[in-house]
Amino acid sequence: MDAVAPRTAELEGINVHLLELHEILQRISEAIASRSSLTISYVNAHVMNCAVQSTALREFLQSSDLVYCDGIGPLWALRSEGHSAPARIPGRIAIP
């Protein structure tokens, strides 16, 4: 069975994955099982503000395999644009 492409939405030029915690953990487990690398990043208001100012940070976020909402600000921004964004996921919970 082919993997389904994760749902994403663009926020200030960054593709944010609209995933629930169990989906993020599944992606991590799959990467571990297949011994694949997986670059995981998060966005919150501070990171988004820094990414607007820093080309290097913006490029890093754009190249990440998975970017999820750690903060309520980006989550509200996505929802205001009509996206069904899941609840915010604090980094200390999502990254084992």
Side-chain angles (χ1 to χ4, degrees):
M1 176 169 55
D2 293 325
V4 176
R7 300 170 310 281
T8 62
E10 186 177 317
L11 188 60
E12 296 295 327
I14 308 300
N15 283 327
V16 178
H17 292 82
L18 307 176
L19 300 175
E20 300 286 345
L21 178 59
H22 73 275
E23 294 171 297
I24 293 171
L25 296 176
Q26 179 180 355
R27 296 273 310 268
I28 293 169
S29 294
E30 290 169 357
I32 292 169
S34 66
R35 297 184 171 269
S36 302
S37 65
L38 182 67
T39 304
I40 302 170
S41 303
Y42 63 83
V43 291
N44 54 32
H46 178 71
V47 171
M48 291 302 299
N49 286 330
C50 289
V52 168
Q53 300 296 319
S54 169
T55 301
L57 176 57
R58 187 172 48 257
E59 288 174 352
F60 173 77
L61 292 169
Q62 290 168 335
S63 70
S64 294
D65 298 309
L66 195 149
V67 178
Y68 67 91
C69 282
D70 172 54
I72 199 70
L75 188 66
W76 284 348
L78 290 167
R79 288 180 179 167
S80 75
E81 294 177 359
H83 299 287
S84 305
R88 73 178 272 280
I89 303 167
R92 62 186 170 74
I93 293 174
I95 308 299

